């Protein structure tokens, strides 16, 4: 549909919250400089109880949620994780544990399987211990991750091998892929870092050059051809928004199918939305149905009426929904603006400037800012 001027297509019906992400805790043994947790995570100490989480699962399932991800922080730090998995299975969810693997024993993994866990995603930071442990801020992380990944396969779980790709590790992408194949991974997510929260603070250290990205993608394609018909591993390579000229349809539209519940019960339409100056509802005060269909936070960017130019008259707004609201706010200060990734945005220079800086490899800060309590407190204190 080609929509011009003030003519707007009919606001689509609100979808169901098909994918529920349960961020069980912000506690984590790692300090990754691209962490998606909010910068002020140290101020967020409250966590929902076992019973409160199960009630969230029940209500979301009643609305149609089918897939449930246990995330964090590190969800293994919740002592009730087995109970939560069992409750989710009884409700009919397909469950996925998204973990660093730190501290995950054979016995606990077996207990998860007995409780009904379907799927495990293990994150790596690099293909060797030195770089992996440097990026994670934990000197034993690579050794433990290897052991966990092998145990995952020994117990018959489907496994996703996840590695966030960025300037610090992109040159070893061939070795990362080889490691994932050696570990018999079912899916390999080579997702280039997206720049929110901690990653945005470290963008000058993390954003690869265009040449590095092209080489990495070509390497991934070469391995795809090599393993075709031989290995069941599927390689997924995701280019960062910064090297696109049109924005992605973020989360398939605001409040359309994805629901995040944070440790304290705040409900979000995506895991980065807490960075927006919006008062989002909390499951301790409102039902999931009310939150999803009637809350201001979830309705704010649904449809097209909120859009400013150039989005309002763009003939692709029904595909990309104006791009990412979080990125628009973090880069321009106004969540109603077009995502600066879009070449039509008057703020597109913010993206091209970052690309140019990546070509120069000129970090603004002397060191990366690791995700830890000290840095969280310092960033909040300094604004």
């Amino acid at each position: 549909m080609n929509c011009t001027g003030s003519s707007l297509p009919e606001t689509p019906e609100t979808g169901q919250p098909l994918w529920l992400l349960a961020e069980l805790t912000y506690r984590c043994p790692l300090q990754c400089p691209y962490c998606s947790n909010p910068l002020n995570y140290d101020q967020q100490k409250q966590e929902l109880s076992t019973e409160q989480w199960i009630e969230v699962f029940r209500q979301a399932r009643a609305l149609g949620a089918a897939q449930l991800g246990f995330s964090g922080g590190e969800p293994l730090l919740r002592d009730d994780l087995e109970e939560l998995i069992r409750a989710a299975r009884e409700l009919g969810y397909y469950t996925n544990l998204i973990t660093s693997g730190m501290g995950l024993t054979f016995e606990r993994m077996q207990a998860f399987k007995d409780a009904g866990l379907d799927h495990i995603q293990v994150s790596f930071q690099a293909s060797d211990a030195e770089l992996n442990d440097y990026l994670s801020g934990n000197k034993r992380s690579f050794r433990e991750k290897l052991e966990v990944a092998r145990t995952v396969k020994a117990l018959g779980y489907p496994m996703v091998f996840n590695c966030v790709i960025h300037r610090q590790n992109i040159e070893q992408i061939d070795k990362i892929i080889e490691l994932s194949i050696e570990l018999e991974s079912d899916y390999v997510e080579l997702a280039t870092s997206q720049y929110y929260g901690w990653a945005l603070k470290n963008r000058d250290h993390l954003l690869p050059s265009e040449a590095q990205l092209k080489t990495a993608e070509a390497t991934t394609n070469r391995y795809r051809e090599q393993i075709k018909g031989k290995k069941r591993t599927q390689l997924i390579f995701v280019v960062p928004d910064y090297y696109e000229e049109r924005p992605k349809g973020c989360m398939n539209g605001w409040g359309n199918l994805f629901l995040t519940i944070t440790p304290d019960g705040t409900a979000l339409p995506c895991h980065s939305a807490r960075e927006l100056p919006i008062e989002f509802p909390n499951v301790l005060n409102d039902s999931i149905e009310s939150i999803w269909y009637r809350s201001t936070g979830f309705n704010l960017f649904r449809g097209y009426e909120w859009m400013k130019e150039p989005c309002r008259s763009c003939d692709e707004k029904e595909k990309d929904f104006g791009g990412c609201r979080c990125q628009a706010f973090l880069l321009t200060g106004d969540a109603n603006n077009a995502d600066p990734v879009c070449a039509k945005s008057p703020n597109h220079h913010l993206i091209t400037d970052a690309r140019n800086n990546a070509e120069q490899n000129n970090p603004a800060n002397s060191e990366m800012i690791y995700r830890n309590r000290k840095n969280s407190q310092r960033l909040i204190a300094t604004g």
Side-chain angles (χ1 to χ4, degrees):
M1 181 184 297
N2 191 339
C3 304
T4 58
S6 60
S7 175
L8 291 170
E10 184 178 347
T11 298
E13 288 187 17
T14 301
Q16 296 172 290
L18 299 179
W19 215 107
L20 173 62
L21 183 67
E23 292 184 332
L24 301 180
T25 181
Y26 285 144
R27 293 173 287 149
C28 187
L30 303 186
Q31 305 179 54
C32 303
Y34 49 78
C35 180
S36 63
N37 288 167
L39 296 175
N40 68 344
Y41 79 91
D42 187 57
Q43 295 178 345
Q44 315 293 330
K45 302 194 183 291
Q46 182 180 353
E47 294 180 8
L48 297 181
S49 68
T50 306
E51 294 74 20
Q52 288 167 337
W53 272 118
I54 293 174
E55 179 60 18
V56 167
F57 302 164
R58 187 192 66 76
Q59 291 186 33
R61 186 78 181 102
L63 288 186
Q67 185 158 330
L68 171 55
F70 297 104
S71 180
E74 177 48 70
L76 296 175
L77 294 176
R78 289 282 300 219
D79 294 335
D80 60 353
L81 185 52
E82 291 88 338
E83 187 175 351
L84 296 177
I85 292 169
R86 184 173 295 104
R89 165 51 65 91
E90 290 172 355
L91 287 165
Y93 283 101
Y94 182 89
T95 53
N96 182 24
L97 174 62
I98 303 166
T99 178
S100 69
M102 298 296 293
L104 182 52
T105 63
F106 176 91
E107 291 75 18
R108 199 169 191 206
M109 214 180 303
Q110 181 64 62
F112 293 161
K113 194 173 186 66
D114 294 342
L117 182 65
D118 294 296
H119 193 120
I120 297 180
Q121 174 180 307
V122 182
S123 67
F124 281 77
Q125 281 69 40
S127 63
D128 63 83
E130 182 179 5
L131 184 55
N132 188 100
D133 296 352
Y134 165 72
L135 290 168
S136 69
N138 188 306
K139 294 181 179 179
R140 69 179 192 278
S141 66
F142 187 72
R143 181 178 69 251
E144 290 198 20
K145 288 170 183 290
L146 283 179
E147 183 176 347
V148 165
R150 289 170 179 144
T151 305
V152 167
K153 295 306 299 180
L155 285 173
Y157 282 106
M159 184 178 76
V160 173
F161 175 107
N162 174 272
C163 187
V164 176
I165 301 299
H166 45 77
R167 177 179 285 275
Q168 302 295 321
N169 65 8
I170 197 168
E171 301 291 348
Q172 60 169 227
I173 194 166
D174 54 341
K175 295 181 176 61
I176 292 171
I177 294 172
E178 288 171 4
L179 175 62
S180 72
I181 294 172
E182 176 191 333
L183 293 172
E184 301 180 337
S185 308
D186 297 278
Y187 300 92
V188 181
E189 291 185 354
L190 306 169
T192 48
S193 181
Q194 302 295 333
Y195 297 98
Y196 311 93
W198 295 90
L200 183 58
K201 288 292 182 183
N202 290 299
R203 187 179 65 184
D204 290 339
H205 293 276
L206 298 175
L207 184 65
S209 68
E210 185 173 12
Q212 287 177 314
L213 277 171
K214 287 182 177 179
T215 299
E217 189 166 18
T219 299
T220 304
N221 288 334
R222 186 175 73 249
Y223 274 94
R224 283 180 179 139
E225 288 300 314
Q226 289 178 8
I227 66 177
K228 186 183 295 184
K230 302 176 184 177
K231 303 282 186 180
R232 66 177 185 177
T233 301
Q234 295 187 37
L235 303 179
I236 302 166
F237 184 85
V238 183
V239 176
D241 290 357
Y242 277 55
Y243 285 94
E244 303 283 0
E245 293 302 310
R246 301 308 304 269
K248 296 181 175 67
C250 188
M251 312 310 293
N252 200 42
W254 181 272
N256 186 49
L257 58 81
F258 191 87
L259 172 63
T260 294
I261 307 298
T262 68
D264 69 357
T266 300
L268 304 172
C270 78
H271 61 267
S272 296
R274 199 162 196 165
E275 299 192 62
L276 297 174
I278 297 170
E279 186 173 347
F280 286 102
N282 192 292
V283 298
L284 297 178
N285 305 317
D286 298 288
S287 70
I288 298 292
E289 181 191 26
S290 176
I291 287 169
W292 185 258
Y293 290 108
R294 294 184 289 280
S295 70
T296 300
F298 275 73
N299 280 292
L300 201 55
F301 299 114
R302 281 175 171 154
Y304 313 103
E305 290 81 0
W306 60 271
M307 290 181 174
K308 298 162 60 174
E309 293 295 349
C311 297
R312 190 174 182 85
S313 59
C314 179
D315 60 4
E316 294 193 31
K317 62 175 169 285
E318 294 174 76
K319 298 178 183 177
D320 60 35
F321 314 106
C324 176
R325 298 302 88 222
C326 301
Q327 193 153 260
F329 173 73
L330 290 170
L331 296 183
T332 76
D334 185 349
N336 290 75
N337 282 337
D339 186 337
V341 161
C342 184
K344 296 181 180 181
S345 166
N347 297 298
H348 187 58
H349 66 280
L350 299 172
I351 299 296
T352 56
D353 288 349
R355 290 182 202 160
N356 292 336
N357 192 60
E359 297 297 328
Q360 302 299 318
N361 189 18
N362 183 30
N365 304 306
S366 59
E367 296 182 353
M368 286 192 295
I369 303 172
Y370 283 84
R371 183 261 198 209
N372 57 44
R373 178 174 297 178
K374 179 180 178 181
N375 285 333
S376 178
Q377 293 172 344
R378 179 173 61 83
L379 289 170
I380 298 309
T382 59

